C-alpha cells in the first residue's frame, strides 16, 4: 500500500518521475476537456483540524475530476474533535472509504492513522511537513524552467514545514537548495541529513545559512512562506521582529538570476515575508503554483489508489 506522508521516505526517485509525468498528463487532459475517470467510484475522506483553501479545494475537485468523490470532515464536526481516538477513526474509515487525506498539527497522528488503518493516507500538512505542496512546486518549476536538475532554489525565512519538505523535494529532484533562517529557526537536522542522503545520489548541493543574500545569490527560484504558521498566532509580533531581515523584496530578488521565479505556497502576507511588488510582479508564479496543487494532487491520488 502506498502512503504519501513523508516525501523523503514515501517518494522514490521512480515515484517522483511517475508523479510529475502523471501530473503533466492529467493537466493536459483537464485543459483539453478529456475525461479521465481513473478513480471511478473511489472515495476520499479529508480530515482537517487546521484551515485550508488550496488543499481542500484541490483534493475535492481532483477526486471529482477523476470520477470519485471526496468528503470534507472538519474536526469541529467529526468525533475526533470530541476525543475519539486515531485508532478507532482509522479502523472505522478503513471500512467505508478508499483513502484518507489529513491536515493536522502532530505529524505522528498522520503516521498513526496509516499504521492503524488499512487504506492509503496522504499528508495534507502537519507542523513538520507539507509534502503535497512540494510536488506542485516541482511541477511549477519544471514548467517554467524546462527541467529541475542543476537549478538552485533559495528558501528565505522560517525553517518550518515548508522548508523541511522543500529540502526533501529539491534533494530528490537534483536541485541545489540554500535555506536562510535565523539560527534558532533553522530546519531540524533530521531534514538536512535526509536531504543530504538523496543529494549524494542526485548531486544536489544543500546549504544552511543565516545570511539571506548568500542564499539568494544566483538562485533560479526564490521561495518564502509565512513567518507565523498555523498554531503560532500568539507569537506573531515577536516573529515579525525576528524574521524582518529575511523579507523577499526587490533588493533580494536583485542578487538572484535575472530570470529567477518567485514562489510562495500561499497564503501570503504582503509587507511581511514578501513585498507587494515582488509577489504581484512579473517574476511571481504563485498562482500557477496554486493551480498546480490540483494537477499534482490528482497524480498523488492515482499513485496511492491504483499503484
Ligand atoms: N498552500 C496551502 O497548503 O494552502 P491552504 O492552506 O489554503 O491549503
Ligand atoms: N507554514 C504554513 C504553510 C501554510 C500552507 C503553515 O503551516 O501555516
Amino acid at each position: 500500500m502506498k502512503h504519501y506522508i513523508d516525501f523523503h521516505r514515501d517518494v522514490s526517485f521512480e515515484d517522483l518521475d511517475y508523479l510529475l509525468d502523471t501530473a503533466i498528463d492529467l493537466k493536459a487532459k483537464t485543459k483539453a476537456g478529456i475525461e479521465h475517470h481513473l478513480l471511478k467510484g473511489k472515495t476520499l475522506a479529508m480530515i482537517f483540524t487546521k484551515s485550508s483553501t488550496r488543499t481542500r479545494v484541490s483534493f475535492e475537485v481532483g477526486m471529482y475530476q477523476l470520477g470519485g468523490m471526496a468528503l470534507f470532515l472538519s474536526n469541529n464536526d467529526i468525533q475526533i474533535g470530541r476525543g475519539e481516538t486515531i485508532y478507532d477513526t482509522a479502523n472505522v474509515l478503513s471500512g467505508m472509504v478508499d483513502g484518507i487525506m489529513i491536515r493536522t498539527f502532530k505529524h505522528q497522528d498522520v503516521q498513526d492513522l496509516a499504521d492503524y488503518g488499512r487504506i492509503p493516507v496522504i499528508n495534507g500538512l502537519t507542523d513538520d511537513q507539507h509534502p503535497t505542496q512540494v510536488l506542485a512546486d516541482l511541477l511549477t518549476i519544471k514548467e517554467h524552467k524546462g527541467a529541475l536538475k542543476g537549478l538552485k532554489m533559495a528558501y528565505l525565512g522560517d525553517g518550518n514545514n515548508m522548508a523541511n519538505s522543500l529540502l526533501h523535494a529539491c534533494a530528490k529532484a537534483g536541485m541545489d537548495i540554500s535555506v536562510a533562517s535565523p539560527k534558532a529557526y533553522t530546519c531540524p537536522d533530521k531534514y538536512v541529513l535526509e536531504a543530504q542522503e538523496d543529494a549524494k545520489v542526485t548531486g544536489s548541493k544543500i546549504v544552511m545559512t543565516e545570511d539571506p543574500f548568500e542564499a539568494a545569490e544566483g538562485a533560479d527560484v526564490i521561495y518564502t512562506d509565512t513567518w507565523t504558521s498555523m498554531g503560532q498566532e500568539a507569537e506573531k509580533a515577536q516573529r515579525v521582529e525576528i524574521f524582518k531581515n529575511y523579507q523577499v523584496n526587490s533588493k533580494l530578488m536583485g542578487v538572484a538570476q535575472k530570470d529567477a521565479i518567485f514562489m510562495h505556497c500561499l497564503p501570503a502576507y504582503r509587507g511581511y515575508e514578501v513585498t507587494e511588488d515582488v509577489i504581484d510582479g512579473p517574476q511571481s508564479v504563485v498562482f500557477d503554483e496554486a493551480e498546480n496543487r490540483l494537477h499534482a494532487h490528482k497524480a498523488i491520488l492515482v499513485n496511492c489508489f491504483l499503484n
Side-chain angles (χ1 to χ4, degrees):
M1 187 166 43
K2 266 191 194 301
H3 297 298
Y4 190 98
I5 296 173
D6 175 310
F7 197 94
H8 174 71
R9 185 197 62 189
D10 297 336
V11 182
S12 66
F13 294 111
E14 295 74 32
D15 283 331
L16 180 56
D17 288 341
Y18 172 84
L19 287 166
L20 288 171
D21 289 348
T22 305
I24 290 165
D25 176 49
L26 295 179
K27 182 171 182 174
K29 290 199 165 87
T30 307
K31 300 278 179 199
I34 299 168
E35 195 177 278
H36 46 283
H37 286 173
L38 301 172
L39 300 184
K40 195 161 191 291
K42 301 271 187 201
T43 48
L44 176 76
M46 309 192 300
I47 303 173
F48 283 90
T49 76
K50 286 176 171 173
S51 305
S52 170
T53 299
R54 282 144 288 265
T55 307
R56 176 184 173 179
V57 174
S58 55
F59 272 103
E60 198 161 330
V61 171
M63 278 303 287
Y64 175 78
Q65 292 180 350
L66 288 165
M69 71 162 292
L71 297 96
F72 172 68
L73 307 171
S74 145
N75 71 316
N76 297 324
D77 305 319
I78 59 169
Q79 299 288 10
I80 253 184
R82 294 180 59 247
E84 186 166 22
T85 62
I86 300 272
Y87 180 84
D88 287 359
T89 306
N91 277 289
V92 170
L93 290 177
S94 294
M96 296 190 197
V97 297
D98 299 295
I100 303 172
M101 195 279 293
I102 176 167
R103 164 171 290 196
T104 195
F105 294 85
K106 275 168 54 194
H107 191 80
Q108 189 57 44
D109 285 351
V110 180
Q111 191 54 50
D112 288 349
L113 203 52
D115 291 344
Y116 299 145
R118 305 182 297 281
I119 52 179
V121 171
I122 298 168
N123 173 4
L125 179 145
T126 63
D127 288 346
D128 301 348
Q129 298 189 38
H130 197 1
T132 63
Q133 174 73 51
V134 294
L135 183 67
D137 296 341
L138 293 180
L139 174 62
T140 309
I141 297 165
K142 200 175 159 124
E143 285 176 344
H144 281 271
K145 296 282 169 198
L148 298 172
K149 222 174 164 44
L151 293 177
K152 175 183 173 181
M153 176 185 285
Y155 175 91
L156 291 303
D158 193 10
N160 59 13
N161 43 11
M162 262 324 312
N164 295 338
S165 287
L166 285 168
L167 278 170
H168 281 171
C170 287
K172 189 81 73 179
M175 286 177 60
D176 297 344
I177 176 167
S178 294
V179 177
S181 314
K183 210 181 178 70
Y185 292 84
T186 193
C187 300
D189 288 344
K190 167 184 151 67
Y191 296 101
V192 181
L193 292 171
E194 287 172 348
Q196 280 165 348
E197 203 180 286
D198 279 342
K200 274 194 208 121
V201 180
T202 60
S204 71
K205 195 171 140 209
I206 318 289
V207 175
M208 306 300 287
T209 174
E210 284 180 71
D211 182 345
F213 284 88
E214 180 198 327
E217 181 80 44
D220 302 286
V221 180
I222 299 283
Y223 202 117
T224 191
D225 184 19
T226 180
W227 294 337
T228 308
S229 285
M230 290 179 274
Q232 299 170 335
E233 289 77 7
E235 300 168 28
K236 184 170 178 208
Q238 184 194 340
R239 285 176 161 269
V240 167
E241 204 42 45
I242 290 165
F243 290 108
K244 65 175 189 251
N245 295 331
Y246 293 83
Q247 183 185 67
V248 177
N249 49 35
S250 54
K251 188 170 167 214
L252 189 111
M253 290 301 288
V255 302
Q257 296 288 350
K258 267 201 175 56
D259 62 351
I261 53 173
F262 170 76
M263 298 182 75
H264 191 310
C265 60
L266 307 180
Y269 300 91
R270 288 166 174 77
Y272 292 93
E273 74 272 11
V274 58
T275 53
E276 205 176 311
D277 59 322
V278 171
I279 192 168
D280 298 320
Q283 288 170 277
S284 175
V285 299
V286 297
F287 297 124
D288 291 345
E289 184 184 0
E291 183 197 315
N292 278 338
R293 299 294 300 286
L294 171 65
H295 310 299
H297 296 175
K298 285 163 74 178
I300 294 170
L301 288 163
V302 167
N303 200 31
C304 283
F305 283 170
L306 296 186
N307 295 337

